[in-house]
Amino acid sequence: MITVIRYLKSYLGIILCAVALLFVQAICDLALPTYMADIVNSGVMSGNINFILKTGGTMILVTLLGTAASITVGYFAAMAAAGVAHDLRSDLFKKVEQFSNAEFDQFSTASLITRTTNDITQIQTVLVMMIRLVFYAPILGVGGIIKAVSESPSMSWIIGVAVICLVGTIMILFSLVMPKFKIVQKLVDRLNLVTRENIEGMLVIRAFNTQKFEVERFDKANRDLTATNLFVNRAMGMMMPAMMLVMNLVTVMIVWVGAKQVSALQMNIGDMMAYMQYAMQIIMAFLMMSMMFIMFPRAAVSADRIAEVLATEASILDPTEPVRFKESFQPTIEFRNVSFRYPGGQDKVLHQLNFRAKPGQTTAIIGSTGSGKSTLVNLVMRFYDVTSGEILIDGQDIRTVTRQTLRAKIGYVPQKSVLFSGTIQSNLSYADQTSTLENLEKASSVAQATEFIDSQEEGYDAIIAQGGTNVSGGQKQRLSIARALVKNAPIYIFDDSFSALDLKTDQKLRAALQRETGDSTLLLVAQRVSTIMNAEQIIVLDNGHIVGLGTHRELLKSCEVYQQIARSQLSEEELAR
């Protein structure tokens, strides 16, 4: 909760105004039973109509003042709570944007979504209640006890017994529900994870006819969450009947003891009625505090989960004194003795890599699944940092420049094509918001996406659904490639970005790329030998080691691993060309 308190400081003025108004509201509520006692004792019993009207008018004014204070407090509480939630949500999102892949390995996507939405909503709800009740309830309770004791010291034992019963009830409920609140949020994470996986993998689920299995998996996650919530809600549901029982018993005791004292002329009827009202106020104060005690643990768990994300330091940071690339920038990429181990991993996945990718050339990377091809290009993007060695661009270690400066030089197409909800134009312009339509059309032409775009009735204004679910895999890849080309970058990285294309489109796209990219450096990860045959340099990876480096013809003679890959994909005639 320390994190939340820090954010509350920004709204300290609003909170102080709310607290001042709470004092006004509490004083008004505490004054009303006294006025009622005066009306009964000095007005009704003596038949003094003027006194009744005068005191009654005062009660109406006090009530209106208390109501106005209560409404204003509610407004201030909502303003402060919504502001804290907004600031938390904004900072949490900014923090997540700074995370490298290592941090995303630590926090699942489903968990981050839950923390940004559900957890912050929990905190916002509790903050509204806290601002309205955490000051008001103690003032009302303590003031009620003082007024009740001053009205009739002889009946103070009734208040004492009631307070002991209330505190005992709250402590029992608190001990029961506190452990469960820690479980609830994890179960919400689990439910979100299963739901997300089902929605994203619906085609696979249907293809393998595993709908029943997935329904059972979702049902289990749903049942676990429901069972825990039911336990918590049932425990909380016991609170109100317990409080009402104590309230009714206290009322009976006050009437019973007070009636004897009235008959013995030791107490006025109005004083007994006022005492009863103060007792109700004391019980209501404890009821409000008990609600806070029940809601606070869940909010505390949510606050800890949010603080965990905010306190996580990104493993990849910009240098404190960054340097800039030279104005005469040369997009040469050089790996010097680069090795890499994933955070928390024991074995290296890349071992002592040394090579140079030159401007105006295509450097292709090929190898079996799991050989480290995508890991290699992720290091160039600084999605991860090298474990040892260094990566140089234009002779400059990429760790000495800011990530923004580095990535501004690179047009990147990820292995999994990602499109955003919007239009084709908004997706292509994502690389350069100031790009002209002419530049978008040129990039689309190079990426062989023009025919697909022109077939759309709205053209570049055609709608793209979230994740690009309304376009095919090949169309998605071509749009992703076009988006990277819009950037007109000196370096391009294509991480297996042609896998969904047919051979004819693949060939036309590569020919267009070669014409249009000019002096840019191309890093091309591929599975198909036909895609990389014409590359000026081919790097063959095997279990994280470079086992071959050269052209297609050179590797066919010197690299056994490349020979095996080539022979599994190409005929003897194609190999002989």
Side-chain angles (χ1 to χ4, degrees), residues 413-415 477 481 493-501 524-525:
V413 184
Q415 187 173 29
Q477 276 196 343
I481 293 168
I493 295 177
F494 300 96
D495 187 2
D496 199 13
S497 307
F498 307 93
S499 58
L501 305 180
L524 174 60
V525 175

Side-chain angles (χ1 to χ4, degrees), residues 387-444:
T387 303
S388 61
E390 57 184 355
I391 300 173
L392 308 176
I393 293 181
D394 192 24
Q396 190 71 51
D397 191 326
I398 61 174
R399 290 170 295 186
T400 62
V401 300
T402 65
R403 287 166 292 172
Q404 185 176 3
T405 301
L406 169 67
R407 293 166 187 167
K409 299 290 186 183
I410 302 173
Y412 174 64
V413 184
Q415 187 173 29
K416 181 181 178 182
S417 300
V418 176
L419 298 180
F420 301 97
S421 56
T423 64
I424 292 176
Q425 182 170 351
S426 68
N427 272 277
L428 297 184
S429 300
Y430 198 79
D432 182 5
Q433 299 295 333
T434 63
S435 183
T436 62
L437 182 59
E438 182 183 358
N439 191 33
L440 300 185
E441 291 173 344
K442 181 180 178 182
S444 301

Side-chain angles (χ1 to χ4, degrees), residues 151-443:
E151 289 287 342
S152 178
S154 60
M155 289 200 295
S156 300
W157 63 273
I158 299 176
I159 301 296
V161 171
V163 169
I164 292 172
C165 292
L166 293 170
V167 172
T169 302
I170 293 170
M171 294 301 295
I172 292 171
L173 288 174
F174 186 80
S175 62
L176 286 173
V177 300
M178 181 61 181
K180 295 294 181 181
F181 278 131
K182 294 181 179 179
I183 300 172
V184 166
Q185 295 307 105
K186 292 182 180 179
L187 293 175
V188 172
D189 281 352
R190 176 64 184 166
L191 187 65
N192 283 346
L193 176 64
V194 174
T195 304
R196 183 184 178 88
E197 285 182 343
N198 270 267
I199 293 172
E200 290 184 346
M202 187 58 67
L203 294 179
V204 177
I205 293 168
R206 289 173 179 171
F208 287 94
N209 290 320
T210 55
Q211 290 94 329
K212 184 178 179 181
F213 170 77
E214 292 299 333
V215 167
E216 290 174 355
R217 193 160 75 103
F218 178 85
D219 193 45
K220 183 182 184 305
N222 195 19
R223 283 199 310 269
D224 291 343
L225 178 59
T226 302
T228 307
N229 273 326
L230 280 174
F231 178 87
V232 171
N233 290 332
R234 284 167 182 163
M236 292 175 64
M238 293 170 57
M239 180 179 64
M240 185 60 72
M243 295 293 181
M244 293 304 296
L245 177 63
V246 173
M247 186 182 296
N248 291 330
L249 289 175
V250 168
T251 302
V252 171
M253 291 295 294
I254 291 172
V255 172
W256 182 51
V257 175
K260 289 184 177 181
Q261 293 189 6
V262 169
S263 62
L265 302 177
Q266 296 175 349
M267 177 184 283
N268 293 321
I269 295 177
D271 294 336
M272 185 186 74
M273 294 175 65
Y275 193 89
M276 193 181 301
Q277 290 296 313
Y278 286 127
M280 296 306 102
Q281 288 180 344
I282 294 167
I283 293 172
M284 288 303 298
F286 275 93
L287 180 61
M288 287 184 280
M289 284 190 285
S290 66
M291 289 174 62
M292 285 301 307
F293 281 127
I294 294 298
M295 295 177 68
F296 186 81
R298 186 169 184 178
V301 171
S302 294
D304 289 342
R305 284 160 53 86
I306 292 168
E308 184 182 5
V309 177
L310 293 174
T312 300
E313 291 296 333
S315 57
I316 297 178
L317 300 171
D318 290 332
T320 52
E321 297 182 3
V323 299
R324 292 181 176 273
F325 287 120
K326 293 176 288 187
E327 290 187 12
S328 56
F329 180 76
Q330 291 295 315
T332 302
I333 304 173
E334 184 179 357
F335 274 56
R336 288 184 183 173
N337 300 317
V338 170
S339 296
F340 175 71
R341 179 192 297 110
Y342 280 104
Q346 295 182 348
D347 300 324
K348 292 180 180 179
V349 294
L350 295 176
H351 306 265
Q352 296 294 310
L353 304 188
N354 288 279
F355 69 89
R356 177 177 291 183
K358 298 178 181 179
Q361 295 185 358
T362 298
T363 298
I365 304 161
I366 194 168
S368 59
T369 302
S371 59
K373 302 184 298 296
S374 293
T375 303
L376 187 152
V377 295
N378 283 340
L379 293 178
V380 178
M381 293 294 297
R382 282 201 79 195
F383 293 149
Y384 293 101
D385 266 343
V386 298
T387 303
S388 61
E390 57 184 355
I391 300 173
L392 308 176
I393 293 181
D394 192 24
Q396 190 71 51
D397 191 326
I398 61 174
R399 290 170 295 186
T400 62
V401 300
T402 65
R403 287 166 292 172
Q404 185 176 3
T405 301
L406 169 67
R407 293 166 187 167
K409 299 290 186 183
I410 302 173
Y412 174 64
V413 184
Q415 187 173 29
K416 181 181 178 182
S417 300
V418 176
L419 298 180
F420 301 97
S421 56
T423 64
I424 292 176
Q425 182 170 351
S426 68
N427 272 277
L428 297 184
S429 300
Y430 198 79
D432 182 5
Q433 299 295 333
T434 63
S435 183
T436 62
L437 182 59
E438 182 183 358
N439 191 33
L440 300 185
E441 291 173 344
K442 181 180 178 182

Side-chain angles (χ1 to χ4, degrees), residues 13 72 117 186 190 279 313 329 380 460 483 504-505 561:
T72 309
T117 53
K186 292 182 180 179
R190 176 64 184 166
E313 291 296 333
F329 180 76
V380 178
Y460 284 86
R483 178 176 58 198
K504 183 180 178 181
T505 305
V561 174

